[in-house]
Amino acid sequence: MPGIVIVGAQWGDEGKGKITDLLAEHGDAVVRFQGGNNAGHTIVREGVEWKLHLIPSGILYPGKRCVIGNGVVIDPRVLIEELDALRARRVDVSGLRISSNAHLIMPYHLLLDSAGEAKLGSLQIGTTRRGIGPCYADKAARLGIRVQDLLDEKILKKKIMAAMEPKRLSLRPFEKDPKLDLHTMTEEYLTYGHRLEQHIADTSRLMWELLDRGEKVIFEGAQGAMLDIDHGTYPFVTSSNPLAGAACVGAGVGPKNIDEIWGISKAYTTRVGAGPFPSELHEEMGEAIRQRGGEFGTTTGRPRRTGWLDLVALRYAARLNTMTALVVTKLDVLSGFDRIQVCTSYRGAEGAQFDDFPYHQTVLHHTTPELTELRGWKEDLGECRTLSDLPEAAREYLLFISEQVGAPVTLIGVGPGREQVIWTDAGRETLIGRNGSAPA
Ligand code: GDP
Ligand code: IMO
Ligand code: MG
């Protein structure tokens, strides 16, 4: 019953898609358990780029069982577009299964997301405006429309009517929008139901069957620990739990089904959208990392904010997830800096030192990073395939991170390509590494 969870250990965009695609080769199924098409996961195979928002990153293996779990919020229009785009590129999508219990993003969720941001003005969160927050809000308010509702016209219409009613006031500026017409919306969503019907299933049961047979299931997280609605930098977070604990609930399995938890972190930090970011860099250094790392959002194209690696936040993410393995991506991006800095603690406005993530938001907002300086390296890392291929300073950097975080580094990213990774001995010892993913 090996279950392996892959989660973002920062503010998202850590390279989860690439790592999931890599590990999926030796997994039997890949399941997404939270988030929606606010996610953007990029995979580069033989120079060809693939961008996925909703479909699990295992889809590029023909016939691989890929599951969109009950914890995901689905915009069916986007899902159908993504399926069509994959089919057009000759990808076999027959292995996709969608939970009948997953909630649907509706046209009014998109409008409410944008209207909410506009109302907040300078206090806005910087959401992806994909309707994620309003959809999860309706789920909690028990006003959500679920995938299974697409298969019953009467129920669908009734539920849409009930869900739209309490939003009348907020939606008043859009009341003439034809997308909000009950009949049109019902018809549109019924059409989506017909298109998706072949993929709809009881995915919790499917997961149980796979795990019971001893098959290897990879739980693919979206976003990252610091965007977690309970433990992240609230309110500048997403509306789900991108933590390993949520993998169980969002896929419909129990905690005993999880064997390994891999946290993915860049060798530095990025964040899209507003909110505290203690190790953020401005001006030349921040811009240099942005340009070298190609740090522009996969989903919205927004420039990502950049900064040094934040070990306070990373230790916090390791604890929240009980991380058993740490993957460090984009190490190649740091080549060429004379000195590299890492944030090892925060200094509060009143002079206190914080080794642990402060629990009070006001404190967090006013911290400055305490930086430790490490040696840089000049060499290009793109061709490195073993630890010994790396410059000594890069090895020192990884050792420092691993010791600070208290988790073994299993895999290191040295470029966007699928083959641009280094497996460490610790990686070879993992469930997936032993099974042939790691080169001998
Ligand atoms: P995700 O949301 O966590 O899947 O990450 P994204 O796909 O949004 O962003 C990560 C970006 O970094 C993508 O463009 C990847 O192709 C790229 N990437 C992943 N790993 C590496 C790496 O080790 N080095 C470099 N240079 N790029 C990487
Ligand atoms: P992946 O899976 C980075 C951020 C948004 C915003 C906040 C709330 O590619 O790592 P939302 O639309 O979710 O209500 O926006 O969360 N955000 C992400 N940042 N990577 C993501 O996904 C993100 N998904 C949401 O920028 O700050
Ligand atoms: Mg992304």
Side-chain angles (χ1 to χ4, degrees), residues 13-18 40-42 298 304 330 332 413-416:
D13 301 326
E14 299 90 347
K16 299 174 292 291
K18 170 184 162 172
H41 299 172
T42 313
T298 311
R304 295 175 182 149
K330 301 192 108 166
D332 53 299
V414 290

Side-chain angles (χ1 to χ4, degrees), residues 34-39 54 71-78 102-117 125-140 143-145 167 171 179-180 189 223 229 237-240 299-300 302:
Q34 46 69 235
N37 62 312
N38 47 351
L54 267 168
V72 175
V73 287
I74 302 174
D75 185 330
R77 187 186 53 80
V78 174
H103 281 248
L104 293 171
I105 296 180
M106 306 299 291
Y108 44 84
H109 292 141
L110 295 165
L111 296 173
L112 288 169
D113 198 353
S114 292
E117 285 286 86
I125 294 158
T127 74
T128 59
R129 303 196 177 208
R130 300 299 191 263
I132 306 294
C135 183
Y136 277 116
D138 267 357
K139 176 178 175 175
L143 284 171
I145 317 288
K167 303 184 184 75
L171 289 174
K179 287 201 291 288
L180 293 183
Y189 274 67
Q223 291 82 50
I229 189 163
V237 293
T238 191
S239 298
S240 67
T299 300
T300 56
R302 290 179 289 178

Side-chain angles (χ1 to χ4, degrees), residues 8 12-20 39-44 49-52 57 220-223 264 266 268 292-299 304 328-333 412-417 420-421:
D13 301 326
E14 299 90 347
K16 299 174 292 291
K18 170 184 162 172
I19 302 302
T20 306
H41 299 172
T42 313
I43 299 167
V44 182
E49 200 171 65
W50 303 82
K51 288 183 190 294
L52 299 168
S57 300
E220 180 186 18
Q223 291 82 50
I264 320 294
K266 282 178 189 167
Y268 49 94
R292 289 181 201 195
E295 296 298 351
F296 298 89
T298 311
T299 300
R304 295 175 182 149
V328 179
T329 61
K330 301 192 108 166
L331 188 64
D332 53 299
V333 174
I412 300 145
V414 290
Q420 290 181 293
V421 287

